Amino acid sequence: MSTPAHAQATPHPVPPPGTPPRLVLGSTSPYRRELLARLRLPFDCVAPAVDETPQPGEAPAALATRLARAKARDVADAVAAHTTGAIVIGSDQVAELDGQPLGKPGNHARALAQLQTMRGREVLFHTAVAVLRSSTGYAGEAMATVRVRFGQHDDALLEHYLRLEAPYDCAGSAKCETLGIALLGAIESDDPTALVGLPLIHTCALLRAAGLEPLAWAR
C-alpha cells in the first residue's frame, strides 16, 4: 500500500562529504558562547590573551575592531600548532556615549552611575567580529553598530534592576536579552544579536567566506 503524500517524512539533508573545519570561538564570554551555539555548529572556546586597554585617542568603534582582530589572531596562533585549517572567531563590543567608550562597570556603584548618565539618552554599541583561517590566508571582519535609547527611570527603579540582575560584566550595565529590555526605549540594528555580544548575521557571512557554510553543517 502506498504512503499518503501528507504522511511522507521530510528527507533529512545529506551532510557534506568529509568533516567540517574546526571552529574556535576566541572568547570565554558566556553570552557569545550562547549566541554561537544557536547556529548548531560544533565549536570550542579558547581564551585570548589580549590587553583590552584603549590606545590614546582611540575611537570606540576602532577599539572594538582592533580588539576583535587581536583576539582572533591570538587564538589562531595558539591553535595553529595542533590544528590545521581551523576557523577562529574573535569579537569585541564597546559602548559609546558622547564619543567616549563605556566599559564594563565591574561593580554596583559604577553600574548605577552608568545607568544614571545614560538615562533618556542614545548610546551606540559597536560590536566587531573578525574571522581568520590561517591555512588559507582568509581574514575577514565586520562591524554592527546598534543604537539604543534608554528610558527615563528613577534611581529607585535602576537600583532595583541592578539588584535583580547584577549586570556588572556588561557594557552599558543592562542585559537586553532579559529584564534589562525594560530599561530601554528603542533599539535600532540590522543584526539583532549584536547588542548581546555577537552579530550572527555578519558572523554567518564571514564563516561562509572562510569556507564554512553554517546551514550545511548545522546539526
Side-chain angles (χ1 to χ4, degrees):
M1 183 173 64
S2 63
T3 303
H6 67 271
Q8 292 178 358
T10 302
H12 193 281
V14 177
T19 57
R22 182 187 179 194
L23 182 60
V24 182
L25 176 63
S27 174
T28 56
S29 164
Y31 310 111
R32 292 194 179 98
R33 185 168 61 246
E34 185 275 331
L35 288 171
L36 187 58
R38 294 185 190 182
L39 299 183
R40 300 176 63 165
L41 298 169
F43 68 93
D44 303 311
C45 292
V46 175
V50 172
D51 182 0
E52 299 189 14
T53 304
Q55 296 176 351
E58 188 172 30
L63 171 61
T65 298
R66 178 175 64 82
L67 292 180
R69 190 185 301 135
K71 291 175 182 180
R73 173 53 58 197
D74 180 78
V75 172
D77 290 344
V79 303
H82 48 81
T83 303
T84 301
I87 297 176
V88 179
I89 301 171
S91 185
D92 194 79
Q93 183 182 82
V94 179
E96 175 184 351
L97 180 64
D98 295 333
Q100 299 300 312
L102 291 173
K104 299 173 183 177
N107 61 43
H108 183 88
R110 285 198 288 268
L112 179 60
Q114 275 194 359
L115 291 178
Q116 289 170 331
T117 301
M118 296 184 298
R119 183 161 41 204
R121 305 188 65 191
E122 183 178 87
V123 180
L124 302 179
F125 287 80
H126 305 289
T127 306
V129 57
V131 171
L132 296 180
R133 191 173 189 180
S134 298
S135 63
T136 65
Y138 176 77
E141 58 190 49
M143 168 71 75
T145 295
V146 183
R147 294 181 178 274
V148 178
R149 180 166 52 81
F150 281 76
Q152 295 277 7
H153 300 286
D154 62 31
D155 288 353
L157 288 175
L158 298 181
E159 284 274 8
H160 183 58
Y161 167 72
L162 291 174
R163 298 296 181 190
L164 289 173
E165 288 213 311
Y168 308 137
D169 61 344
C170 300
S173 303
K175 295 181 180 180
C176 69
E177 67 273 27
T178 50
L179 181 59
I181 197 71
L183 295 175
L184 309 183
I187 298 175
E188 296 180 18
S189 174
D190 61 359
D191 202 331
T193 61
L195 186 55
V196 183
L198 184 65
L200 287 181
I201 294 175
H202 289 309
T203 299
C204 286
L206 293 171
L207 291 177
R208 289 188 188 102
L212 175 61
E213 168 52 65
L215 285 171
W217 290 104
R219 296 295 179 266

